[in-house]
Amino acid sequence: MIGAGGAMPPATVKVWDPFVRIFHWFLVACFVIAYATGDELERVHIATGYVIAGLLAARIVWGFVGPRHARFSNFVRPPREVLAYVRDLVMLRAPRYIGHNPAGGAMIVALLIALAGTGATGYMMTTDSYWGSKLIEHVHKFLANLTVGLVVAHVIGVLIMSFQHRENLVASMISGRKRAAD
């Protein structure tokens, strides 16, 4: 296929499977809804929290049985490797990865843990044992706000890597494709 001006478009490879892409964008939408309705529309907030819990459970299973780039074994790295990658990132020499880079993998784990904790404490607040517990309510709000902070850091990381490697990572999470290895 020849593009505009006779130039060949760069070769692409399939990276993100449909489940990962749908999960990602559905989770974004559900988190926004849950966060926005927390104090105002309790029924919507709780229902959306259950949807998020189901999404997380499905993603955790997919992290063990899904295709290569969806598997935790493909992107969860030891802390030393994550810190080395962040150091290289700050020095503008971080290598490009087809799937998640070590910092991105750490962010996914952090987001999954924060969301699971938010969901667990939200559920706890509906039980007889923790009904009206200010401590659980504060932990729930803290974890929800921590998740917002992680999301902001995630978006900043995606933007930095998109510019550093001249690759639209948001578009790749829509199409499922990325530029082939350099």
Side-chain angles (χ1 to χ4, degrees), residues 31-32 34-39 45 52 107 110-111 113-119 121-122 136-154:
F31 183 74
V32 168
Y35 196 83
T37 61
D39 292 330
H45 180 79
I52 290 171
M107 180 57 75
L111 283 164
I113 291 169
L115 286 165
T118 305
T121 54
I136 298 300
E137 183 179 343
H138 289 305
V139 172
H140 181 72
K141 287 182 179 184
F142 170 80
L143 289 171
N145 289 325
L146 174 65
T147 302
V148 170
L150 291 172
V151 167
V152 169
H154 172 63

Side-chain angles (χ1 to χ4, degrees), residues 16-77:
W16 310 122
D17 64 278
F19 175 85
V20 166
R21 296 187 334 255
I22 292 167
F23 162 82
H24 179 273
W25 295 113
F26 201 48
L27 182 63
V28 168
C30 287
F31 183 74
V32 168
I33 291 167
Y35 196 83
T37 61
D39 292 330
E40 303 302 320
L41 300 168
E42 186 176 345
R43 292 180 111 171
V44 173
H45 180 79
I46 291 171
T48 308
Y50 280 116
V51 172
I52 290 171
L55 287 169
L56 292 176
R59 179 60 181 98
I60 289 167
V61 169
W62 200 244
F64 292 103
V65 302
R68 183 174 87 174
H69 295 295
R71 290 184 185 225
F72 297 127
S73 62
N74 182 261
F75 62 81
V76 175
R77 298 285 172 245

Side-chain angles (χ1 to χ4, degrees), residues 1-10:
M1 174 184 228
I2 298 178
M8 295 292 289

Side-chain angles (χ1 to χ4, degrees), residues 4 13 38 56-58 62 74 78 93 97 123 129 139 147 157 161 164 166-167:
V13 293
L56 292 176
W62 200 244
N74 182 261
R93 64 176 191 206
Y97 282 72
Y123 172 73
S129 298
V139 172
T147 302
M161 297 316 297
Q164 187 172 349
R166 293 180 170 89
E167 179 169 47

Side-chain angles (χ1 to χ4, degrees), residues 1-13 177-182:
M1 174 184 228
I2 298 178
M8 295 292 289
T12 62
V13 293
R177 303 190 73 79
K178 289 179 76 176
R179 186 177 75 240
D182 297 329

